Amino acid sequence: MIKAVVFDFDGLIMDTETFEYYSFRDLLQDYGLELPFQLYSSRIGGHVDSFDPYRYLQERCAEPLDRELLRELRREKFAALFANEHARPGVEDYLCEAKEAGLLIGLASSAPKDWVVPLLDKLRLTSYFGCIRTFENATRVKPDPELYLQVLQFFDIAPQEAVAFEDSPNGALAAKRAGMRCVIVPNELTRGLTFPEVDLRLNSMRDLSLNTMIRLLEQA
């Protein structure tokens, strides 16, 4: 019996990942360079150090670059792209359904808390979550299962009693390594990536109601 739902944040609740990629892509284009998505994709949903776009840029430029200036320029590009973003379709519906059904609701994100929580506050979704675990809580982030295992431990439930919602291969792998059911809802950036074996794939959380989705998982 499913007792809990656990959400990723970046790319799943808000499609921050697509705009982050675009902001790095546009920054490199200012220097006449392309940003290879195959290299960049390794950092999606996992540790940002798995691929460093700033280092990639510096290694291909003859002159030394000011990394802090690059960061500032990149953030400006991101802010302009991301200014009018909202939660992805169906996210709040799922949270409302979960709350009405009496399910435990958690969040496990490889991103820092000072990034995740202010955005949840902006969306007015923070109060739905009984447990939030972010970068600072773990010694190893996704695709390691530690963040998910911490949420399961907090709720005092078995892995098979929880469903994880993910948008990236790194996140899906973390959930499956934790022994959980995993439903993927890829975004614009991740829909073409190769995912590990998961329990269900949706184009949008509006494809199925949460109750119908849970019923399908429990009957499988």
Side-chain angles (χ1 to χ4, degrees):
M1 179 180 177
I2 292 173
K3 299 178 180 179
V5 289
V6 187
F7 292 73
D8 175 47
F9 181 73
D10 284 299
L12 187 280
I13 290 179
M14 295 187 83
D15 193 4
T16 54
E17 288 171 346
T18 296
F19 295 105
E20 184 169 350
Y21 170 70
Y22 287 163
S23 67
F24 277 116
R25 181 200 63 184
D26 292 352
L27 177 67
L28 267 67
Q29 285 179 346
D30 289 345
Y31 289 84
L33 295 170
E34 295 297 320
L35 177 58
F37 182 66
Q38 186 175 4
L39 291 176
Y40 183 89
S41 64
S42 65
R43 66 185 266 136
I44 299 173
H47 203 296
V48 294
D49 289 342
S50 59
F51 174 72
D52 185 345
Y54 300 113
R55 184 183 302 124
Y56 181 85
L57 172 58
Q58 179 61 82
E59 289 171 349
R60 283 151 184 81
C61 288
E63 300 297 323
L65 300 174
D66 184 334
R67 181 176 279 236
E68 286 309 308
L69 177 60
L70 292 177
R71 289 183 187 277
E72 182 177 341
L73 291 172
R74 205 281 303 175
R75 290 187 187 112
E76 289 175 358
K77 291 178 183 294
F78 177 85
L81 291 165
F82 190 65
N84 298 314
E85 270 302 290
H86 304 286
R88 289 184 65 194
V91 168
E92 190 163 7
D93 294 336
Y94 267 35
L95 290 170
C96 287
E97 281 190 71
K99 183 177 180 180
E100 290 172 1
L103 296 174
L104 301 166
I105 306 174
L107 185 144
S109 170
S110 295
K113 183 177 181 180
D114 63 5
W115 167 255
V116 173
V117 173
L119 286 174
L120 286 176
D121 288 344
K122 180 181 177 181
L123 296 171
R124 299 181 179 179
L125 298 179
T126 313
S127 61
Y128 283 103
F129 296 95
C131 177
I132 294 176
R133 292 293 180 266
T134 56
F135 173 85
E136 297 84 356
N137 299 114
T139 55
R140 296 173 301 278
V141 295
K142 302 170 186 177
D144 191 276
E146 183 178 356
L147 285 163
Y148 277 117
L149 292 173
Q150 287 189 18
V151 175
L152 294 173
Q153 183 178 25
F154 179 87
F155 286 147
D156 192 24
I157 58 174
Q160 60 269 26
E161 295 176 316
V163 180
F165 294 99
E166 279 287 353
D167 67 288
S168 72
N170 279 327
L173 188 56
K176 296 309 291 182
R177 285 175 172 173
M180 303 168 67
R181 293 179 172 93
C182 181
V183 175
I184 58 169
V185 194
N187 55 50
E188 178 184 341
L189 192 67
T190 62
R191 63 171 59 111
L193 297 178
T194 301
F195 283 79
E197 184 176 350
V198 296
D199 299 273
L200 188 64
R201 178 177 180 136
L202 303 176
N203 293 317
S204 165
M205 289 185 188
R206 287 185 174 166
D207 288 354
L208 290 174
S209 71
L210 179 67
N211 290 333
T212 300
M213 185 273 299
I214 287 177
R215 189 163 59 250
L216 288 174
L217 293 180
E218 290 181 332
Q219 291 172 351

